[in-house]
Amino acid sequence: MEEISVKGMDQLLADAVLKKETVKGCDDETAYHVALSGTSNYLIHTGISMCSIMKSNPQRNFAFHILLNDISADDKRKMGELVAGTKSGVTLYYINDRIFQEMLHKDGIAGYFYRFLIPLAVGPEGVQRVLYIDGDVMCQGDISPLMDIDLEGDIAACAEDSPTGKAEGLNRLHTADYFNSGMMMIDVPAWNRESLSQRSAAMAIERRRSGMRLESHDQDILNVLLDKRFKNVSRKYNWTYNMSLRGFLQKQKQFIYDPEAVLIHFTGLVKPWRTWVQDLPAVQKYNSFRMASPWRNIPLVGPLSHKDMHQAARHARRMKKIGKAIALYAAYFGAKLTGKK
């Protein structure tokens, strides 16, 4: 079934990139290639991730490849400002979201599947390897060892998911290991020889058509296709940090921030640009890059829904800010009673 579907994916994915635009060319043949993706409303965070890479690796230049569905004139200007005066560059790839319609989850977000396209997009430019990271990843250290790693014949280098995420993934898939797809160091020619973009798209469509419960958007699919084909690297290259909190009577997870980790991945619903988590050390580190970026004046995002208010209240209680917690719980229950989502 998959092989038949794969043959039909070539034309589908050939129509994926509507336009390519160079914001600024990369003037260093030894530059590291880094890919990120995001829908238009997420590019602020993508830009801050890019800034963290550059600030944490001042000795290196980067060719950034950004897959997006649209971009504002202001964000495009800021992308150029970020690399101005350096030999680093930025290329934008405008994606046709319609090709993902048969793959979508209930949330309807096509952006999760953009990473399927990265090797196809950069391969024709002669890129041999590219580092993909999510837009909620912060770089705070030297990524040269990861960029220069010997893949020893594997298609990608990836890090295991959090202990809980790994256990759940292994239970679902029964693969040899389970990685978090928010960071992948990809051997581009090897990926394209194996038609992994086409096979990923075919599997996503088959899962949707079958009525199978869809987990983790792209992540389960990539774990199946790269089973025993990825090099397992230290979690310091994808340190998952989840700030979402559980209910009142449930045992809370610890926030374990590793200041020695190279890439911090802010997983979960609560992100470092939310107002109520600004007292956490990991978020304060993130803010140092936000303030160093062209997006420094973009305001933080407060609670927008009753679920946000609940998370903010839980966080205040955890941090022993009792008065603030009471006020937030009151706002939460008020929003619930008035039907605010």
Side-chain angles (χ1 to χ4, degrees), residues 139-175:
C139 179
Q140 57 175 15
D142 181 10
I143 60 172
S144 296
L146 176 62
M147 303 297 295
D148 297 330
I149 193 171
D150 183 356
L151 290 174
E152 301 179 284
D154 286 321
I155 295 174
C158 309
E160 289 180 347
D161 204 357
S162 67
T164 300
K166 176 183 174 181
E168 292 173 350
L170 292 176
N171 185 57
R172 281 195 306 273
L173 304 181
H174 307 291
T175 49

Side-chain angles (χ1 to χ4, degrees), residues 261-296:
V262 176
L263 296 171
I264 301 290
H265 187 180
F266 294 97
T267 58
L269 296 175
V270 181
K271 302 299 184 183
W273 48 87
R274 305 311 294 266
T275 54
W276 64 88
V277 290
Q278 299 305 302
D279 48 6
L280 295 174
V283 175
Q284 291 167 0
K285 181 67 174 180
Y286 179 88
N287 269 329
S288 71
F289 296 118
R290 183 174 70 88
M291 296 307 296
S293 81
W295 293 270
R296 64 182 66 86

